[in-house]
Structures are given as C-alpha cells and as structure tokens.
Amino acid sequence: MFSKKIDRFKLLLIAELIMALLLFFTCFQKETKVFTIFGDDMGGQMTETDGYETFSSETFELLPGVYQVRMEVSETEDQTVFAQVRWEQAPFKAVRNNGAAVLPGGTNQKFNVYVLDKVQTAYVYCRFSGSDPGILRSLNVYRTSMGNRMLLFILLVLFGLLDFMAIFRKRILSGKIIMKKQIVFWGLTAGIMISFFPYLTDYFSWGGDIDYHFGRIAFLEASLQQKMQFPVRMQGTWLYGHGYATSLFYGDLFLYFPACLMLLGFSIMTAYKMFVFAVTVLGAWIAYHCFYRCVKEEYAALAGSLLYVLAPYRIFNFYNRGATGEYLAMTFLPLICCGMYLLYTEDINSLSYNKHKWYIVLGMSAILQSHLITSEMTAVLMALGCALCWRKTFRRRTFFQLLETVGIVLLVNMWFWLPLLYMIGIDTYQFQTVIQEEMVNGTELAGMVQLLPNKGSAQTGMWQCEPIQIGASALFLFLVCLLWRIKGHRMGAACRFFAVLSVVTVALSTKYFPWNFIRKLPLIGYFAGSLQFPFRWMAPAAALTALFCAFFMMEVRERGGARIKILAGISVLLAIMSAVYHVNDCAFQAPPLYLYNAENMGTVGVVNGEWLLAGTDKGELHDHGPVAEEGLLWQDYEKKGTDITIFVENTTAGIRYLELPLMGYKGYKVKEYDGIGQNCPDIAEERGDHNDLRIAIPAGYNGKIKVSWDGFALFHAAEAVSIASIVIILSRSWWTWRRKVKFESKLSNID
C-alpha cells in the first residue's frame, strides 16, 4: 500500500500527456508511394462503358489510414479525366472517397482516400471523355500521416471530455454543484443532442445553400494551403479557378475552424458536422448563460434556452436551408438581448455597470463576422429598443456606454467592414441587382400555427415546402400568458417588453407586412431589399420569444398556481416533442449523400452570385489558360490560387493585352517583374471576356511577371487598427484583473 494518497486525476493527466506525445511524433512521418500508373500504360486495356472509355488498374493492398491520389494531366480543351479508388470484396465502406475529375483546361488534381480496414483488392478506376488515355501523365497514390493527425485531434477531444466529466463529478461530490445546476447541465445536453440528431449518421443531407457554404469552407482551406495567411480575402478555387471575393463580403472568421479540420485531414462532410456540433454546444451555453443573467433563476433560464436551441427556425436553418451564416448569427443573438437588458435595468451606480456592454460588443462582433443581414436586423432592433426606452437611453452613463459599445465594435472589426465598404464603393456587383428584386417568401398564418414542423411537406405556409414558424411551444406559452393575464395577473415590465418585441418581429417576418412598398422608399428601401426574404426576421423573433418565455417562466414559478405551472411545463415538453419530430424527419426524409472529397462537388455553387462582378455569367466560365492578343507570346505559365507567374514577350511596337483566368476584381497587382522594356506591365482598366483580368504588356517587353491579389494599403491599415484595439482591450482587462487581485490580497492580509 502507498503511504501517501495518490491523486488519481493527476495520474490520468500524465497518462493522457504521454499518449498524446507518442501519437504527436507520428504525425510527421514521411509519406510513402504505394501505387503508380501512367496513361501510356493503359493502351489496349480500355473498355467502353456508357459512352466513356474506362480503365481499371491491377489490385493493390491498402492498410487503415488516409491516402492521397495525385493526378497529372496534359492540358486539353475538350477532355475530362475522372479517377476513383475502388475495391473488391472489402468490408462495408472500408474505402471512402468520391474520386475527382480534371476538367478541360486543368492539368492536375488530388483527393483523399479514407481507409478504415485492411483492403487487399483496391484498384484505381479511370474514366476518360476522350479516347486517348495518354493525356493522363501519371497517377500516384501516397500514404500520408493525416490519419495520425486526425487520431491525435480526436484523442485530445476525448481526453478533454473525460477530464471535464472527472472535474464535474468531483465538484458534485464536494457539493459545489447543486442539484439545480446538474439538472440544467443534463437538460442542455439533451437539447444539444436532440438538435444535432440528423448528423449522428455516416451520411449527409444536401439542400438549400449548403453547396455554397461547403465551398466557402473547402476553398478557404485551399487558400490556407496555398498561402497560409490571415485573413484570406480572395479565394482562388471558385469558378474554375477564376476566384470569388466571398471572404471580402461575407465573414469567414468562424469557418477557419472547419477549414483547419480539413487541413488536419478530415473530409469536408466530417469537418462540417464537427463544426455544427461545436456551434450547437456554444449556442446552448450562450443562451443559458445570457438568460440566467437576465432572469436569475435556473429553471426559467433552462426553459428559455431549450426553447431557443430547439426553435423550429433554428433547426430549419441547420438542416433544411443549410444557412450557415444565419444559424451562426443566431448563436450570438442572446448576447445582444442580455447586454441591452442589463444596461437598461441594472443600477447605473454599481461598479460592475461598465461590464455589461461587453455582451453587446462580443455579440455584435460575432454576428457581423457571421451574417451581414442579421447584423442589419440586429442594429435596427437595438435602435428600436433605445427609442422605446428613450428616458433611460439618455441617462449620462447609459448613453456613454452605448457610444463606447459602438466605437469598440467598429474599431475591433475594422479589418472586415472597412475593406467591404471600400470594395462596394469602387465597383459594381450582382447584389445591386438582387436587392432590387421583389421581396417574396414571407411567412404565412397557416405556417405560423402549424404544430409539427418537418423536412418536406406540401402544407401551406411553407417556403419551398419547408417549415418557417415560431413553434408550437412558443405559441402555447403565449396563450398561457394571455390566459394568466385575463385572470388578472399582471406581468412584469421585462416580460411585457419582450412579448411586444416578439410579436413585432414575427409580424415583420410575414408576407402581410408591406415590404414591397417599403422597398420603393429611399434609403429604407435599400435596407429592406437587402433582406431578400422577410422570413429572416424569424431569427431575432426566436431569440426574443425565448427570452420572453424565460421571464414568463420565472414569474410563473414565483407567483403562479399549480395549474399555470403545469401548463408552463407542458410548453417545454411541446418544444422537445416538436423538435424530436422535426429532426427525425430531417434525418430520414432527405436523400443521403456521402461526400468525402470537396474536389468532387464543383466550384460554381455561389447561389445568386451576389458578389460576382456585374454582368458576369457564371455559366460561361470554364477552365482555361491565358489568352493573348496577336503578337504577344507567353510560356512557363504557373497558377496557384490567385497568384500567377508567367513569361511574356511583346513582339509588336504597341501595347498588347493578356487575359488571365482570374475574375477581374480591383486589387490585383503586378507584384514582380523581371524583363526588358521601357515600361512595366500593369493591370488594365478594361476587363476581358467574362470579366477576366487583363494585363497591359508594353511594347518590346520581354520577361517574367507575377500577378496576385493584394488588396489596398487601406486594408492593411484597418487590420493594424483592429489588432491595436484588441491589444489595448486585453491589456486593460489584464491590468484591471491584476489590480483586483492585489486589492483582494491586501484585504486578506489585513483580516
């Protein structure tokens, strides 16, 4: 027996550290080539299948791990080469990949292959749109260390979960976590798992705008691989390599998480599911924390947060629409509600009053980085709240806290919003046409009162046969509240205020609100048109309704009788039952899709293409090389994302133009040149076919040039301001914390 008690938790941490270190050193093993084939070796072995020339290689063995297939193809104008790793007589789905194609104009392609069990009869399948297999220069299969990196990440997550549960158990046994907190924890956990249920599968449901958001993640990962810089503003993989400025106009900050998971080796489908789970957990915790800070009662806060996490419109955005930006923004809306409530209700003379604005700062910054349209709606609602409570708004301390909040949000996020506004101001884009279109798809009364939401029905009140509603539970709770009021019970001011705002936002989401009339008004119409769909107001409506429910639950617990408490409890059960029905329908009604390789999903899924240059027809874009005017010669062309290096020679006495396969956004520059000529090549003002970038090559120029998108000096200045603001905020916070610690230490010494 040991003479001293051994801390088992420390032993657990040491064991975890040793295991993690052992696995960490395997993450840098050199990749090994396991199979090679050349197109020239396929002659005489081709077969015709469904009008295509196909080839199946000899079999080879694959051990569990992650492999990468790399193809080199001779550039052609009309031939496509598709490759995939297949298997014979292997365990079910032991080899997972979708394959990938090299399209006309392309020269290379790579994709990952995930092997879950030993496979002795794997082979490479190739399909050619032409009859010449010789265009395939080489195809190599490499075993990589990505499997070890993925395993290390999974192990660290499991260790973190195990440590958390160990600490959680210890605090329960020591009495630091009371029964109420335990019920809250398990209630939120149940809500999270219900909400995430459709992704507890090995397949994926494709629909809505998900192809666009998958592209944002996958092409962000490709940009990080090519440059490893932050922030990425121009992603070069979009639109057959022409590039798309989605990162300039649509906040990508939170998408770096799934993009980095892809860098580790995870498939696009798995990375996205892990991202959704993280967002679901974060959303549940934020909702509960914010609602508890407002109502200061555990069960009421739990009820409100469950109603929000399981809100039909939130689940609808996750699984029906695939609206990544919108459900991300919904995650942070409770922060705004909490911050505004505390600023207007807490004692303005308290020492902690200045801290309340940080809820708004964090919430507004996160929403701005998630979804611009939700940012606009949130700003409008905040302005409305300030106007309704104008007496408190113009209290000296409250007013200056609001001003500070606006200033901090603008400074911290300047790196994003200033380049966005600058780019909008110097060019014209498709979105300026989109916002002029008639607003459609508002919610209908029939859909609002539907009890059970589902994935795909033909019921009325649906947008594209999908549910947009406030939820049976919230409607039931409103009715209970009305019944309570009829019986003479008076609701608190906060409960009434959030009930009114809930009704207002729900009304704004309907097709009955005169949006198309408002759209014709100056300035206000521009904002209204940018919303596109009135039903988007269901996002703030869900947050405000959940907070109203939390306040009402608190009042019921404090002053309600047994019957009203039973009715309130039924509303929570309704929320759970309705969500279970909804997520079950999402999981099993949508056709399953197994997407492992982002390379297989195409590059043109830009939805309405709001950020395409005006006049661009994405249907006419294709993979192609440089296009030169007569008398202009080029060679040694190399393209990596939005960076192009090429050798050019102008044999004429005048300027000649070279069109590059890049969307001609402002901000491209000829960064490097090394040639002979009196003048240097430069970006031409006029764009080429399909808005391609044009380079003006001076007479007699002969040499190599490098073209890349670098933005403007203003962008880097904005980044510097944001970094400086964050450093100052963190420094002040650290200094304040240190002073507090020293003060408390002095008090303890005096005692």
Side-chain angles (χ1 to χ4, degrees), residues 83-226:
Q84 185 181 22
V85 175
R86 297 182 176 181
W87 66 100
E88 296 289 348
Q89 300 176 350
F92 178 68
K93 293 183 182 176
V95 180
R96 303 187 177 192
N97 72 113
N98 304 108
V102 182
L103 300 176
T107 58
N108 58 77
Q109 184 63 279
K110 62 182 180 180
F111 61 91
N112 292 341
V113 180
Y114 302 90
V115 181
L116 277 63
D117 204 344
K118 184 178 180 180
V119 176
Q120 295 179 331
T121 56
Y123 66 95
V124 174
Y125 166 83
C126 296
R127 185 176 66 231
F128 300 84
S129 62
S131 58
D132 180 19
I135 65 170
L136 178 62
R137 293 178 179 175
S138 66
L139 185 149
N140 297 293
V141 181
Y142 292 88
R143 180 180 173 85
T144 71
S145 59
M146 284 189 282
N148 294 335
R149 297 201 295 266
M150 292 164 57
L151 182 58
L152 176 61
F153 179 83
I154 293 170
L155 202 63
L156 291 175
V157 171
L158 291 177
F159 286 165
L161 182 61
L162 181 62
D163 295 342
F164 170 79
M165 294 306 296
I167 295 172
F168 187 67
R169 177 178 178 275
K170 185 177 181 180
R171 290 176 64 84
I172 290 175
L173 295 176
S174 64
K176 294 181 179 179
I177 299 180
I178 60 176
M179 182 56 68
K180 271 190 175 183
K181 295 291 186 182
Q182 295 176 47
I183 293 174
V184 166
F185 174 79
W186 293 114
L188 287 178
T189 300
I192 290 167
M193 297 313 296
I194 291 172
S195 178
F196 189 68
F197 177 76
Y199 284 161
L200 294 175
T201 59
D202 64 342
Y203 58 83
F204 184 79
S205 300
W206 193 266
D209 298 342
I210 198 64
D211 56 338
Y212 169 57
H213 296 295
F214 264 39
R216 291 175 64 202
I217 296 169
F219 305 150
L220 181 62
E221 182 261 346
S223 298
L224 291 174
Q225 273 193 338
Q226 290 158 1

Side-chain angles (χ1 to χ4, degrees), residues 80 101-107 109 219 235-244 599 601-606 612 616-625 637 639 641-642 644 660-663 690 692:
T80 299
V102 182
L103 300 176
T107 58
Q109 184 63 279
F219 305 150
Q235 298 178 14
T237 314
W238 288 97
L239 302 168
Y240 303 105
H242 285 69
Y244 189 45
E599 296 83 2
M601 67 184 187
T603 62
V604 295
V606 294
L612 288 172
T616 303
D617 183 353
K618 69 176 183 179
E620 295 182 357
L621 296 175
H622 62 279
D623 247 322
H624 65 84
Y637 168 69
K639 184 176 186 296
T642 56
I644 288 180
L660 298 177
L662 294 170
M663 188 69 64
H690 318 304
D692 280 358

Side-chain angles (χ1 to χ4, degrees), residues 64-376:
V66 180
Y67 296 79
Q68 191 169 82
V69 177
R70 299 171 191 168
M71 292 187 287
E72 295 289 338
V73 177
S74 300
E75 185 175 346
T76 65
E77 294 183 357
D78 58 356
Q79 292 195 53
T80 299
V81 180
F82 172 81
Q84 185 181 22
V85 175
R86 297 182 176 181
W87 66 100
E88 296 289 348
Q89 300 176 350
F92 178 68
K93 293 183 182 176
V95 180
R96 303 187 177 192
N97 72 113
N98 304 108
V102 182
L103 300 176
T107 58
N108 58 77
Q109 184 63 279
K110 62 182 180 180
F111 61 91
N112 292 341
V113 180
Y114 302 90
V115 181
L116 277 63
D117 204 344
K118 184 178 180 180
V119 176
Q120 295 179 331
T121 56
Y123 66 95
V124 174
Y125 166 83
C126 296
R127 185 176 66 231
F128 300 84
S129 62
S131 58
D132 180 19
I135 65 170
L136 178 62
R137 293 178 179 175
S138 66
L139 185 149
N140 297 293
V141 181
Y142 292 88
R143 180 180 173 85
T144 71
S145 59
M146 284 189 282
N148 294 335
R149 297 201 295 266
M150 292 164 57
L151 182 58
L152 176 61
F153 179 83
I154 293 170
L155 202 63
L156 291 175
V157 171
L158 291 177
F159 286 165
L161 182 61
L162 181 62
D163 295 342
F164 170 79
M165 294 306 296
I167 295 172
F168 187 67
R169 177 178 178 275
K170 185 177 181 180
R171 290 176 64 84
I172 290 175
L173 295 176
S174 64
K176 294 181 179 179
I177 299 180
I178 60 176
M179 182 56 68
K180 271 190 175 183
K181 295 291 186 182
Q182 295 176 47
I183 293 174
V184 166
F185 174 79
W186 293 114
L188 287 178
T189 300
I192 290 167
M193 297 313 296
I194 291 172
S195 178
F196 189 68
F197 177 76
Y199 284 161
L200 294 175
T201 59
D202 64 342
Y203 58 83
F204 184 79
S205 300
W206 193 266
D209 298 342
I210 198 64
D211 56 338
Y212 169 57
H213 296 295
F214 264 39
R216 291 175 64 202
I217 296 169
F219 305 150
L220 181 62
E221 182 261 346
S223 298
L224 291 174
Q225 273 193 338
Q226 290 158 1
K227 285 193 172 183
M228 290 305 293
Q229 67 177 20
F230 177 85
V232 173
R233 297 196 185 274
M234 187 73 65
Q235 298 178 14
T237 314
W238 288 97
L239 302 168
Y240 303 105
H242 285 69
Y244 189 45
T246 181
S247 296
L248 265 167
F249 302 105
Y250 206 140
D252 281 345
L253 183 63
F254 297 102
L255 297 189
Y256 281 87
F257 172 60
C260 289
L261 290 177
M262 289 187 67
L263 282 174
L264 289 176
F266 289 98
S267 69
I268 176 67
M269 179 175 66
T270 303
Y272 182 77
K273 286 185 177 182
M274 294 166 74
F275 169 69
V276 169
F277 183 73
V279 171
T280 304
V281 172
L282 183 64
W285 181 84
I286 287 176
Y288 174 77
H289 173 79
C290 292
F291 293 169
Y292 179 74
R293 287 285 285 117
C294 293
V295 302
K296 297 179 176 60
E297 206 284 322
E298 288 87 348
Y299 292 149
L302 174 61
S305 55
L306 281 177
L307 261 64
Y308 189 56
V309 169
L310 301 177
Y313 186 68
R314 188 172 179 275
I315 295 174
F316 165 68
N317 279 331
F318 271 112
Y319 306 113
N320 299 41
R321 287 181 66 207
T324 301
E326 202 160 341
Y327 70 64
L328 257 176
M330 288 186 72
T331 301
F332 305 105
L333 282 173
L335 289 167
I336 305 294
C337 297
C338 178
M340 292 293 288
Y341 175 79
L342 294 177
L343 277 178
Y344 280 82
T345 59
E346 294 291 295
D347 182 9
I348 61 173
N349 296 315
S350 67
L351 295 175
S352 62
Y353 186 76
N354 291 349
K355 296 180 180 179
H356 303 325
K357 66 174 177 288
W358 293 110
Y359 284 99
I360 306 175
V361 170
L362 290 174
M364 202 64 205
S365 297
I367 293 171
L368 183 63
Q369 298 295 337
S370 303
H371 195 237
L372 286 175
I373 295 175
T374 306
S375 302
E376 296 173 11

Side-chain angles (χ1 to χ4, degrees), residues 588-606:
F588 298 111
Q589 291 298 321
L593 177 70
Y594 299 89
L595 182 63
Y596 305 109
N597 305 124
E599 296 83 2
N600 192 256
M601 67 184 187
T603 62
V604 295
V606 294

Side-chain angles (χ1 to χ4, degrees), residues 515-559:
W515 282 113
N516 286 311
F517 171 77
I518 294 173
R519 191 179 54 83
K520 298 175 183 178
L521 300 176
L523 294 180
I524 300 175
Y526 186 86
F527 162 74
S530 68
L531 293 177
Q532 294 179 291
F533 311 121
F535 68 71
R536 294 187 193 274
W537 282 100
M538 286 300 298
L544 292 167
T545 301
L547 190 51
F548 153 73
C549 292
F551 273 106
F552 182 63
M553 288 287 194
M554 178 192 67
E555 296 195 9
V556 166
R557 284 184 56 79
E558 290 179 351
R559 300 185 285 117

